[in-house]
Amino acid sequence: ACEGIQGGFWNSVRIVVPATLISVLLGALNGYALSFWRNKWGDLLFGIILLGAFVPFQIMVYPLVTWFRLGGFYNTYWAIVLTHCIFGMPVLTILFRNYYVAVPQELFKAARIDGGGFWRIFFQLMLPMATPMLIVAVILQVTGIWNDFILGLVFAGRENLPMTVQLNNIVNSTQGERAY
């Protein structure tokens, strides 16, 4: 039975959905927490995260392979999901932090007076207000994860190869002229 790249399509879906949900939720939470740190240390931490957004992920591939191998989950489904979450965090944290900083402080103070804690304000006030940023973050993550080749090739393992890797394998397995 020839299933073509159907397996790669479903592997990509299985990778994209949890990696997007986890990274967007954690990025929103990190940005929310960082938006309260309005001192020199908060700005320093924000600068470090900003630098992390511009570090090429190819530099981190070998250390992550070593770390995942030692942890016993290299070439697994969770290795590729965790890798995409790690590499999405700096950009998403920056996006959400800048969005939350623009929200007036009086809104936070009013929510505190009404008895809202950190989590209640985050889930009932900030996330619904951040719907445009959530949409932008989901679009960024879905397109970035779906189109990724090198991380899928290195971390996914044979059983979890995404569609991009399987399409490349088809193109590179032809003899003679490549039928693009």
Side-chain angles (χ1 to χ4, degrees), residues 83-97:
T83 302
H84 282 298
C85 289
I86 290 170
F87 288 121
M89 291 307 302
V91 172
L92 295 177
T93 300
I94 291 167
L95 287 175
F96 281 103
R97 186 251 185 204

Side-chain angles (χ1 to χ4, degrees), residues 138-155:
V138 167
I139 290 171
L140 281 174
Q141 282 299 97
V142 167
T143 56
I145 295 169
W146 187 271
N147 293 328
D148 177 62
F149 173 76
I150 192 160
L151 297 177
L153 180 66
V154 173
F155 292 103

